[in-house]
Amino acid sequence: SGNINIAIDGPAGAGKSTIARRVAEALAYVYVDTGAMYRAVTWYMLLKGIEPEEDQKVLQTAQNMVIELKPGVDGQKVLVNGEDVSDQIRSLAVNAKVSRYAQIEGLRNLLVTLQRQMALRKGVVMDGRDIGTTVLPDAEVKVFMTASVQERARRRYNEIKDTAAITLEQLEHDIAERDRLDEQREISPLRQAEDAEFLDTTNMSLSEVTDAIISMCRTYG
Ligand code: C5P
């Protein structure tokens, strides 16, 4: 078939998952949220009381976890050992710790291997931090999406303000801290692949961004 792979990277709260889901829907492709995999591992380690410093224990435990990503009615469902943890992995506790576990080299290798398997047959829209640089360096379309930290915090705040006990300022601080850890880590840091299209979405609507990516796919090849 003429299916291609699409890699979407960028910092926290840039709207990658919403956009990736819309692009996947428009093209009848499979959406893979790699952040959800790091979040699922983090949720499980917190449950088991395993600290990010215990990297061998993290790796052993992660090797014995079954992580599944399944399409659901309102977005993707995430299952750990058969249990639906889609809501739990979005908690503030997971937000605060996920970038620490994501620094562990062995854990990254394990998840990257799974991610590559998911993309073997093409027709995948994958979002994350290292998709264009490390996971799928041969993806036919690569996008690096960002927006100002204020705008990213504001978008996230509008999504969660009714349910979460957090202020806009705290959220902005959390996002900036996660960006710092993701950009500065040694293994596959967050950065734009040389052949990725840069999209600053600060002043763009969801449909403008979605359309921009779909037209990159149309002009591909
Ligand atoms: O995309 P999301 O914000 O849900 O990702 C949560 C965290 O997982 C990121 O802040 C980053 O630390 C880690 N992550 C990663 N590599 C990816 C996807 C996510 O290190 N490909």
Side-chain angles (χ1 to χ4, degrees), residues 37-67 80-81 85 89 93-94 97-98 100-102 104 106-107 110-111:
M37 299 169 78
Y38 289 92
R39 287 173 176 278
V41 169
T42 301
W43 171 79
Y44 196 64
M45 297 305 151
L46 293 175
L47 181 77
K48 298 283 172 193
I50 302 169
E51 296 292 329
E53 291 74 25
E54 303 175 89
D55 49 347
Q56 281 313 311
K57 218 167 160 187
V58 170
L59 185 55
Q60 272 170 18
T61 309
Q63 279 165 339
N64 292 305
M65 280 174 73
V66 180
I67 304 172
V80 170
N81 300 334
V85 295
I89 65 165
V94 170
K97 282 283 186 84
V98 60
R100 305 272 174 192
Y101 293 97
I104 301 171
L107 176 63
L110 179 74
L111 295 186

Side-chain angles (χ1 to χ4, degrees), residues 86-152:
S86 313
D87 293 332
Q88 290 92 315
I89 65 165
R90 307 285 163 196
S91 69
L92 295 177
V94 170
N95 279 354
K97 282 283 186 84
V98 60
S99 295
R100 305 272 174 192
Y101 293 97
Q103 292 178 337
I104 301 171
E105 182 171 22
L107 176 63
R108 298 200 70 84
N109 291 338
L110 179 74
L111 295 186
V112 166
T113 301
L114 291 174
Q115 291 154 9
R116 287 182 180 148
Q117 282 166 4
M118 294 173 177
L120 274 181
R121 280 175 296 174
K122 304 233 174 182
V124 162
V125 185
M126 192 176 282
D127 80 351
R129 302 292 185 287
D130 60 341
I131 311 307
T133 54
T134 305
V135 181
L136 305 177
D138 298 329
E140 285 80 0
V141 169
K142 297 183 185 180
V143 180
F144 191 86
M145 254 178 69
T146 189
S148 68
V149 68
Q150 292 80 7
E151 175 64 13
R152 290 186 281 124

